[in-house]
Amino acid sequence: MGTTTKKRRKAVVSQAECVACGCCVKVCPLAAIQVVKGIAAQVDREKCVGCGRCARECPATVITLEEAAV
Amino acid sequence: MKQKKWYDFMWIVSLTYLILGFFNILFAWLGLLCFFIPLLISIIGGSKAYCNRYCGRGQLFGVLGGRFGLSRKKDVPKWMKSKAFRYGFLIFFFIMFFQMLWNTYLVFAGAQDLRQVVTLLWTFKLPWQWAYHGTLFHAGAAQFAFGFYSVMLTSTVLGMITMVLFKPRSWCVYCPMGTMTQLICRARNGKL
Ligand code: SF4
Ligand code: SF4
């Protein structure tokens, strides 16, 4: 996988599996991920740069980095 | 790095709690705060701000597993994050909790003597009499303290084991309080 594709990748949270612990929120350098209403984390795709820190931190490992459509 | 807030140091409070209970078991009563505060935040505020910000136990695992490197940082097994296990553990925890309340009741009712032990992992009885210096209240108040401290120590030990084996805050995946507050938040938003 080339480094050029990295910029277009975005974090995606599996809504059904997220335990809403908020560990991801603490490590995002751009405040692009938030726990919404205590149910699950959601990513602001405008802000996310796909660095993958949240995915590494998530204790349940329910965040994947996916190729953005746009 | 983000600016640290006062609530980023709650792990010190958690650690202090465990240490205090080693010297005087009656401090265990303070642990009720870790039950009522998250519940109230989820019921009234409709959020998991407790887990997200204030939970000292989670932070303690984060510090030990992260900064101190006491974690393999591997993924938790699939079954551990399944709904069946998370809800099952919540129910098991509840049953054990009520059993502890029942024992407290028996001491209050005079049907059972105070047992000065801390029960680890619902099985192992650790002698703990050095932490008991009598109480101004009923012996039942001390029984509750021993029981509650057992719950807190057990969850810390379990959390430490999964911290070492998996990611630092793996405990958060199956923490009964976390599961319960998430359920409450779901219910409040009609997403059960
Ligand atoms: S991938 Fe990076 S920028 Fe995107 S939400 Fe996760 S931590 Fe934030
Ligand atoms: S760290 Fe993982 S489980 Fe926790 S809120 Fe973020 S996505 Fe959900």
Side-chain angles (χ1 to χ4, degrees):
Chain A
M1 217 171 286
T3 44
T4 44
T5 59
K6 208 169 178 178
K7 282 198 186 67
R8 287 189 286 115
R9 295 206 292 168
K10 306 278 177 192
V12 178
V13 178
S14 163
Q15 296 292 305
E17 289 179 299
C18 172
V19 299
C21 61
C23 299
C24 51
V25 179
K26 288 183 204 240
V27 296
C28 178
L30 290 137
I33 189 163
Q34 297 297 332
V35 174
V36 179
K37 292 179 176 168
I39 297 173
Q42 280 173 21
V43 179
D44 181 339
R45 294 174 72 91
E46 297 295 312
K47 288 193 201 162
C48 176
V49 292
C51 68
R53 280 191 211 192
C54 54
R56 225 176 306 136
E57 193 74 12
C58 175
T61 323
V62 299
I63 306 178
T64 45
L65 291 172
E66 290 175 14
E67 214 64 50
V70 267
Chain B
M1 223 29 221
K2 275 186 236 175
Q3 187 75 41
K4 286 234 187 292
K5 301 264 175 41
W6 64 269
Y7 50 72
D8 289 318
F9 298 96
M10 293 303 285
W11 60 272
I12 298 172
V13 177
S14 272
L15 195 59
T16 309
Y17 173 84
L18 289 171
I19 294 169
L20 286 177
F22 192 81
F23 293 104
N24 191 331
I25 198 68
L26 294 177
F27 280 112
W29 275 86
L30 289 175
L32 277 177
L33 293 173
C34 310
F35 274 64
F36 286 114
I37 295 173
L39 281 179
L40 289 176
I41 292 179
S42 62
I43 293 169
I44 298 167
S47 88
K48 290 229 328 168
Y50 188 82
C51 298
N52 301 169
R53 282 201 181 141
Y54 310 115
C55 178
R57 172 182 316 259
Q59 287 176 16
L60 186 61
F61 296 141
V63 168
L64 293 177
R67 223 182 301 161
F68 285 86
L70 298 173
S71 171
R72 295 197 310 153
K73 304 206 171 137
K74 299 276 190 238
D75 294 348
V76 295
K78 251 199 155 63
W79 57 264
M80 198 177 266
K81 53 184 173 184
S82 69
K83 290 226 160 32
F85 179 72
R86 291 181 62 217
Y87 294 155
F89 189 66
L90 174 63
I91 293 166
F92 172 74
F93 208 84
F94 254 107
I95 294 171
M96 291 325 221
F97 197 80
F98 280 112
Q99 196 199 31
M100 183 273 281
L101 290 181
W102 176 246
N103 280 329
T104 303
Y105 163 77
L106 288 179
V107 173
F108 266 115
Q112 196 175 283
D113 289 332
L114 171 66
R115 283 190 231 148
Q116 299 177 34
V117 290
V118 164
T119 313
L120 192 62
L121 299 167
W122 308 282
T123 318
F124 308 106
K125 305 236 182 288
L126 313 178
W128 214 267
Q129 67 284 354
W130 60 77
Y132 183 57
H133 319 281
T135 167
L136 291 175
F137 312 100
H138 196 279
Q143 188 64 71
F144 178 79
F146 278 109
F148 205 87
Y149 193 77
S150 303
V151 171
M152 298 298 266
L153 195 68
T154 295
S155 49
T156 307
V157 167
L158 268 186
M160 294 261 188
I161 294 171
T162 50
M163 168 192 85
V164 172
L165 291 178
F166 312 115
K167 289 194 185 174
R169 288 185 61 159
S170 301
W171 164 257
C172 302
V173 176
Y174 60 99
C175 169
M177 287 312 292
T179 307
M180 186 153 58
T181 49
Q182 190 187 27
L183 271 177
I184 293 169
C185 289
R186 273 184 197 276
R188 263 179 123 262
N189 291 288
K191 288 208 175 149
L192 272 182

XYZ file of all heavy atoms in Angstrom, chain A residues 9-11 24 27-33 42-44 47-55 63 65, ligand 1:
183
model
N -7.618 8.159 3.487
C -8.291 7.178 4.318
C -8.968 7.836 5.525
O -8.483 8.833 6.050
C -7.283 6.124 4.800
C -6.757 5.320 3.601
C -6.304 3.972 3.999
N -5.112 4.012 4.843
C -4.662 2.953 5.502
N -5.315 1.821 5.447
N -3.578 3.030 6.228
N -10.098 7.269 5.887
C -10.853 7.827 7.013
C -11.171 6.729 8.003
O -11.368 5.574 7.628
C -12.188 8.416 6.513
C -12.047 9.432 5.397
C -11.704 10.791 5.935
C -11.481 11.784 4.778
N -10.876 13.033 5.240
N -11.268 7.122 9.277
C -11.624 6.146 10.310
C -13.114 5.858 10.244
O -13.922 6.764 10.059
C -11.261 6.705 11.673
N -10.766 6.475 22.113
C -10.386 7.028 20.812
C -10.384 8.560 20.841
O -9.516 9.199 20.257
C -11.358 6.539 19.742
S -13.094 6.811 20.179
N -7.187 10.352 22.042
C -5.929 10.340 21.288
C -5.999 11.022 19.924
O -4.965 11.233 19.294
C -5.398 8.892 21.099
C -5.044 8.274 22.444
C -6.408 8.037 20.357
N -7.191 11.387 19.479
C -7.280 12.013 18.152
C -6.681 13.419 18.179
O -7.131 14.278 18.914
C -8.733 12.077 17.686
S -8.882 12.903 16.086
N -5.654 13.657 17.366
C -4.996 14.966 17.386
C -5.870 16.080 16.799
O -5.596 17.250 17.004
C -3.739 14.743 16.544
C -4.058 13.571 15.672
C -5.017 12.714 16.432
N -6.935 15.706 16.082
C -7.755 16.719 15.419
C -9.169 16.823 15.989
O -10.020 17.488 15.407
C -7.827 16.402 13.925
C -6.486 16.646 13.241
C -6.152 15.539 12.287
C -6.479 18.001 12.583
N -9.397 16.165 17.109
C -10.729 16.139 17.708
C -11.780 15.782 16.653
O -12.843 16.384 16.568
C -11.064 17.482 18.358
N -11.453 14.764 15.856
C -12.348 14.379 14.763
C -13.292 13.260 15.147
O -14.153 12.874 14.366
C -11.510 13.934 13.555
N -13.117 12.733 16.346
C -13.968 11.619 16.757
C -14.586 11.940 18.115
O -13.920 12.472 18.994
C -13.154 10.286 16.747
C -14.053 9.065 16.952
C -12.029 10.283 17.774
C -13.388 7.748 16.534
N -18.477 8.536 16.758
C -18.683 8.881 15.363
C -17.558 9.777 14.872
O -17.040 10.598 15.618
C -20.039 9.567 15.183
C -21.168 8.520 15.151
C -22.541 9.148 15.139
O -22.691 10.306 14.776
N -23.533 8.380 15.553
N -17.198 9.582 13.622
C -16.071 10.307 13.045
C -16.565 11.462 12.178
O -17.492 11.304 11.383
C -15.214 9.355 12.185
C -14.049 10.095 11.551
C -14.714 8.180 13.013
N -15.941 12.608 12.374
C -16.213 13.744 11.496
C -15.294 13.584 10.275
O -14.080 13.815 10.356
C -15.899 15.050 12.245
C -16.171 16.278 11.395
O -16.202 16.149 10.147
O -16.340 17.361 11.969
N -12.854 16.343 9.232
C -11.656 16.601 10.032
C -10.661 15.443 10.012
O -9.464 15.656 10.125
C -12.056 16.849 11.489
C -12.744 18.185 11.754
C -12.773 18.402 13.269
C -13.835 19.388 13.706
N -14.112 19.237 15.140
N -11.161 14.220 9.924
C -10.291 13.038 10.031
C -9.237 13.007 8.924
O -9.548 13.214 7.759
C -11.144 11.764 9.977
S -10.166 10.248 9.979
N -7.986 12.751 9.338
C -6.910 12.663 8.353
C -6.427 11.219 8.180
O -5.418 10.965 7.537
C -5.711 13.569 8.725
C -6.104 15.028 8.623
C -5.188 13.247 10.114
N -7.124 10.313 8.833
C -6.794 8.894 8.655
C -5.476 8.464 9.262
O -4.840 7.529 8.774
N -5.080 9.112 10.342
C -3.791 8.779 10.959
C -3.811 7.413 11.638
O -2.764 6.794 11.833
C -3.383 9.850 11.961
S -4.454 9.898 13.416
N -4.997 6.980 12.051
C -5.119 5.646 12.639
C -4.829 5.532 14.120
O -4.800 4.441 14.670
N -4.616 6.674 14.777
C -4.321 6.605 16.214
C -5.494 6.038 16.996
O -5.314 5.261 17.933
C -4.018 7.999 16.757
C -2.621 8.395 16.447
C -2.271 9.636 17.212
N -1.316 10.377 16.416
C -0.629 11.395 16.872
N -0.827 11.808 18.091
N 0.223 11.994 16.094
N -6.689 6.455 16.629
C -7.892 5.980 17.323
C -8.021 4.470 17.182
O -8.331 3.768 18.134
C -9.126 6.670 16.766
S -9.295 6.518 14.977
N -7.743 3.985 15.972
C -7.884 2.548 15.709
C -6.918 1.745 16.567
O -7.259 0.686 17.076
C -7.646 2.261 14.234
N -12.461 0.095 15.147
C -12.271 1.162 14.162
C -11.402 0.645 13.026
O -10.354 0.038 13.267
C -11.592 2.400 14.798
C -12.359 2.870 16.038
C -11.470 3.536 13.780
C -11.721 4.051 16.744
N -9.698 1.710 9.081
C -9.415 2.834 8.196
C -9.867 2.422 6.809
O -9.422 1.399 6.289
C -7.927 3.155 8.205
C -7.436 3.740 9.531
C -5.939 3.849 9.533
C -8.070 5.090 9.789
S -7.835 8.395 12.079
Fe -6.679 9.980 13.202
S -7.697 11.878 12.577
Fe -9.114 10.217 12.041
S -10.475 10.066 13.821
Fe -8.797 8.563 14.104
S -7.281 9.677 15.356
Fe -8.680 11.226 14.505
